[in-house]
Amino acid sequence: LEIVWQIKIKYKELGGVKMNLMLLGAPGAGKGTQAKELIDKYGIPQISTGDLFREAIGNKTELGMKAKEFMDNGQLVPDSLTMSIVEERFKQPDCQNGFILDGFPRTVFQAEELDKMLSKMGKKIDKVVALEVRDSEIVERITGRRISKSTGKIYHIKHNPPIDEKLEDLYQREDDTEEIVVKRLTAYKNQTAPVLDYYKTQGKVISVDGEQEVSKITADIMKILG
Ligand code: AP5
Ligand code: MG
């Protein structure tokens, strides 16, 4: 165990792996859950546009207030707002050695803009991990999700119940109701599914069965990435 830890520490000191990853999948497919596992394994940060919007809403910024109108209705936030929040995030120094995109891009326009933005920085997307989960699983996953206020850890009341967390530290997202999930799924099918084809034509997509155990999915992703 000691040797494993030493290797992990050395790996992080060396800057981890340089890899620009993207996690693509329907609401509740497990993007956030897998991103949190991969941050640790690869030493690169997660960039979740959903989390960035929720942070902006929490800080009551103008952008946050505009985004909230769409998020509360299960609709996508307009591309211009989304691109501006991503552009700001890419300026942070922690993105230098790579990143894990979670929930972005969500339209073909965003994907094209992202490619342009990265190419100006001399970067590109290396791999797109498509997490495949049937619609029938989605509502149950989303309505059962609980998140820790203090650590941001993602739980599920049945599949991954919190053990050490205090109940008052857990919250449910406002858009995690059955009614809004249906709208989010429609937005995914109409606007985001074409993004998968966009990256398939670039030969970058890796499909992973997202209905396995969390650790098995992480292992599958890491095996394919090498
Ligand atoms: P966002 O926050 O990105 O939400 P989402 O895409 O709908 O995805 P979720 O976060 O709901 O699911 P997830 O895949 O991360 O699953 P998780 O790991 O948590 O976006 C929210 C909103 O912001 C959008 O609707 C839109 O309005 C706006 N927005 C964001 N980005 C945008 C963009 N680029 N453009 C425009 N608008 C944008 O897991 C879910 C649950 O399942 C958890 O309880 C978890 O414990 C459980 N679970 C996970 N894996 C497993 C497993 N293997 N087995 C069993 N249970 C599991
Ligand atoms: Mg998420």
Side-chain angles (χ1 to χ4, degrees), residues 32 102 145 173:
D102 159 5
R145 171 167 50 195
R173 267 169 47 180

PDB file of all heavy atoms in Angstrom, residues 32 102 145 173, ligand 2:
ATOM      1  N   GLY A  32     -20.844  13.166 -13.350  1.00  0.00           N
ATOM      2  CA  GLY A  32     -20.239  13.765 -12.156  1.00  0.00           C
ATOM      3  C   GLY A  32     -19.552  12.723 -11.296  1.00  0.00           C
ATOM      4  O   GLY A  32     -18.430  12.923 -10.824  1.00  0.00           O
ATOM      5  N   ASP A 102     -17.410  17.901 -18.183  1.00  0.00           N
ATOM      6  CA  ASP A 102     -18.607  17.179 -17.709  1.00  0.00           C
ATOM      7  C   ASP A 102     -19.837  18.030 -18.025  1.00  0.00           C
ATOM      8  O   ASP A 102     -19.997  19.118 -17.485  1.00  0.00           O
ATOM      9  CB  ASP A 102     -18.422  16.935 -16.194  1.00  0.00           C
ATOM     10  CG  ASP A 102     -19.722  16.661 -15.452  1.00  0.00           C
ATOM     11  OD1 ASP A 102     -20.787  16.563 -16.083  1.00  0.00           O
ATOM     12  OD2 ASP A 102     -19.660  16.545 -14.205  1.00  0.00           O
ATOM     13  N   ARG A 145     -30.964  11.119  -6.051  1.00  0.00           N
ATOM     14  CA  ARG A 145     -29.645  11.712  -5.826  1.00  0.00           C
ATOM     15  C   ARG A 145     -29.661  12.671  -4.631  1.00  0.00           C
ATOM     16  O   ARG A 145     -30.583  13.457  -4.453  1.00  0.00           O
ATOM     17  CB  ARG A 145     -29.190  12.475  -7.074  1.00  0.00           C
ATOM     18  CG  ARG A 145     -27.915  13.289  -6.828  1.00  0.00           C
ATOM     19  CD  ARG A 145     -27.272  13.806  -8.071  1.00  0.00           C
ATOM     20  NE  ARG A 145     -28.189  14.494  -8.954  1.00  0.00           N
ATOM     21  CZ  ARG A 145     -27.912  14.784 -10.218  1.00  0.00           C
ATOM     22  NH1 ARG A 145     -26.751  14.430 -10.730  1.00  0.00           N
ATOM     23  NH2 ARG A 145     -28.790  15.409 -10.966  1.00  0.00           N
ATOM     24  N   ARG A 173     -30.919  18.727  -5.744  1.00  0.00           N
ATOM     25  CA  ARG A 173     -30.932  19.822  -6.718  1.00  0.00           C
ATOM     26  C   ARG A 173     -32.362  20.219  -7.070  1.00  0.00           C
ATOM     27  O   ARG A 173     -33.231  19.357  -7.122  1.00  0.00           O
ATOM     28  CB  ARG A 173     -30.184  19.376  -7.978  1.00  0.00           C
ATOM     29  CG  ARG A 173     -28.716  19.754  -7.944  1.00  0.00           C
ATOM     30  CD  ARG A 173     -27.899  19.114  -9.014  1.00  0.00           C
ATOM     31  NE  ARG A 173     -28.475  19.173 -10.352  1.00  0.00           N
ATOM     32  CZ  ARG A 173     -27.896  18.654 -11.419  1.00  0.00           C
ATOM     33  NH1 ARG A 173     -26.728  18.058 -11.304  1.00  0.00           N
ATOM     34  NH2 ARG A 173     -28.467  18.731 -12.596  1.00  0.00           N
TER      35      ARG A 173
HETATM   36 MG    MG B   2     -23.548  16.141 -12.974  1.00  0.00          MG
END
